[in-house]
Amino acid sequence: MFNPIGSSVIKIDELDSTNVYLQQISGLQTVDEGMLIWTERQLSGRGQQGNSWYSKEGESLTFSFILSPVFLYADEQFYLSKAFSIAVNQFLVRKFQLKAQIKWPNDILLNGNKIAGILIENIILGNKLKQSIVGIGININNRVFPEHLKATSVYLNSHCNVSLKECIDEIIPLLNEMYSLVILKQWKEIDRLYFDSLYGYEKVLRFYSDHYFNGRIVHVDNLGYLHVETDAGVEKYTFKEIAFC
Ligand code: BTN
């Protein structure tokens, strides 16, 4: 089986951002597919939508790996997001017995607080993917967070102090397992696992998009659109168009 993720695992003491570092070195030299870079001291972590990602030395797990998913069409790229959010969620559920859930599109939440985040940066050539840099941040041993963040950690929920290297070693097989489903284009299986862990799936929730309304998440499609059903029918939303209340 092709298990590229973690083909080499490199720890660097301090980096601005593991995503940016991989972007820079892959622009300068050929890097092996699956190379994984991690650091215990990430100084300017990047989050989704231009946000920053908070991390603390020795407490936060911060890593990125590089892939060449040249077999994927641009309109299939959200399956990478689905697959890796399933893997991160499985890691938290299986290793720490936490009741974590995926919040659309790919946040990982525990009791309404964010415990992990994923930032995937793709390069597209024509209608196919050329390169993906997948960055993952998981709050492992964190004791406290800045007040404005609705965040939590493994430590705050299980009181165990965990080795970050051990987490890397244990999450790699889960990431590879999910990536092989992407390689095989097992969309139904990925969807089944994603919807199984999706916060609010098939439940009535309160949303805001121009106005407040109640609706039920009925689908997330291959482009990542959230499909919400109300009495008026089913509407599709992109990330910026809708908020959970
Ligand atoms: C999010 O906003 O939810 C995505 C957060 C992704 C954070 C990780 S930490 C490792 C990698 N390097 C970065 O600069 N960002 C990602």
Side-chain angles (χ1 to χ4, degrees), residues 87-101:
V88 174
N89 200 62
Q90 282 178 345
F91 168 72
L92 292 166
V93 172
R94 292 184 190 171
K95 182 165 168 69
F96 304 108
Q97 289 77 50
L98 295 175
K99 290 202 163 84
Q101 282 192 304

Side-chain angles (χ1 to χ4, degrees), residues 25 28 36 41 51 72 87 99 102 109 114-115 120 138 149 157 180 182 232 234 240 243:
I25 61 162
L28 297 173
L36 185 150
R41 211 181 306 137
N51 291 323
L72 272 186
K99 290 202 163 84
I102 301 167
L109 290 197
K114 193 150 162 174
I115 190 162
I120 304 183
I138 310 180
L149 294 178
N157 290 275
S180 35
V182 176
V234 177
K240 286 186 186 147

Side-chain angles (χ1 to χ4, degrees), residues 49-66:
Q49 312 288 313
N51 291 323
S52 58
W53 179 255
Y54 169 82
S55 46
K56 178 136 195 262
E57 181 171 355
E59 297 188 353
S60 316
L61 184 61
T62 51
F63 65 99
S64 304
F65 50 90
I66 187 160

Side-chain angles (χ1 to χ4, degrees), residues 16-20 42 44-48 51-53 61-64 106-107 114 116-119 135-137:
D16 283 340
S17 153
T18 52
N19 268 40
V20 172
Q42 181 169 258
S44 329
R46 301 204 319 191
Q48 295 162 22
N51 291 323
S52 58
W53 179 255
L61 184 61
T62 51
F63 65 99
S64 304
N106 62 5
D107 288 345
K114 193 150 162 174
I118 303 170
L119 176 67
I136 298 179

Side-chain angles (χ1 to χ4, degrees), residues 23-230:
Q23 254 158 27
Q24 287 168 342
I25 61 162
S26 62
L28 297 173
Q29 64 191 73
T30 315
V31 293
D32 290 339
E33 173 154 33
M35 177 193 270
L36 185 150
I37 302 289
W38 73 287
T39 183
E40 292 210 14
R41 211 181 306 137
Q42 181 169 258
L43 304 174
S44 329
R46 301 204 319 191
Q48 295 162 22
Q49 312 288 313
N51 291 323
S52 58
W53 179 255
Y54 169 82
S55 46
K56 178 136 195 262
E57 181 171 355
E59 297 188 353
S60 316
L61 184 61
T62 51
F63 65 99
S64 304
F65 50 90
I66 187 160
L67 294 171
S68 314
V70 291
F71 54 87
L72 272 186
Y73 287 97
D75 65 6
E76 296 171 328
Q77 63 186 296
F78 194 72
Y79 276 102
L80 289 173
S81 233
K82 284 184 174 171
F84 294 128
S85 48
I86 295 164
V88 174
N89 200 62
Q90 282 178 345
F91 168 72
L92 292 166
V93 172
R94 292 184 190 171
K95 182 165 168 69
F96 304 108
Q97 289 77 50
L98 295 175
K99 290 202 163 84
Q101 282 192 304
I102 301 167
K103 185 179 175 203
W104 175 80
N106 62 5
D107 288 345
I108 311 296
L109 290 197
L110 184 64
N111 303 324
N113 296 311
K114 193 150 162 174
I115 190 162
I118 303 170
L119 176 67
I120 304 183
E121 298 181 286
N122 293 326
I123 297 181
I124 294 170
L125 200 64
N127 61 351
K128 292 246 174 121
L129 265 71
K130 181 169 182 267
Q131 176 187 285
S132 288
I133 291 177
V134 181
I136 298 179
I138 310 180
N139 303 326
I140 301 283
N141 295 321
N142 305 68
R143 274 28 182 191
V144 281
F145 290 95
E147 234 168 71
H148 66 281
L149 294 178
K150 259 194 103 197
T152 191
S153 69
V154 170
Y155 176 82
L156 290 174
N157 290 275
S158 66
H159 296 283
C160 28
N161 217 23
V162 192
S163 137
L164 297 180
K165 175 67 172 77
E166 189 181 305
C167 292
I168 295 272
D169 292 341
E170 291 189 26
I171 200 169
I172 286 174
L174 299 172
L175 294 164
N176 273 313
E177 202 179 306
M178 290 311 306
Y179 190 53
S180 35
L181 292 182
V182 176
I183 294 172
L184 296 168
K185 302 207 173 191
Q186 298 283 304
W187 305 149
K188 272 200 178 147
E189 179 61 2
I190 295 175
D191 279 336
R192 184 185 70 76
L193 294 166
Y194 182 80
F195 293 127
D196 254 13
S197 303
L198 187 67
Y199 165 77
Y201 182 59
E202 292 284 12
K203 299 208 170 77
V204 176
L205 297 179
R206 192 124 182 101
F207 295 98
Y208 180 81
S209 175
D210 294 332
H211 63 285
Y212 289 94
F213 64 97
N214 292 333
R216 221 161 46 93
I217 298 175
V218 290
H219 192 50
V220 177
D221 63 30
N222 54 330
L223 296 171
Y225 283 86
L226 185 75
H227 296 213
V228 181
E229 186 183 71
T230 64

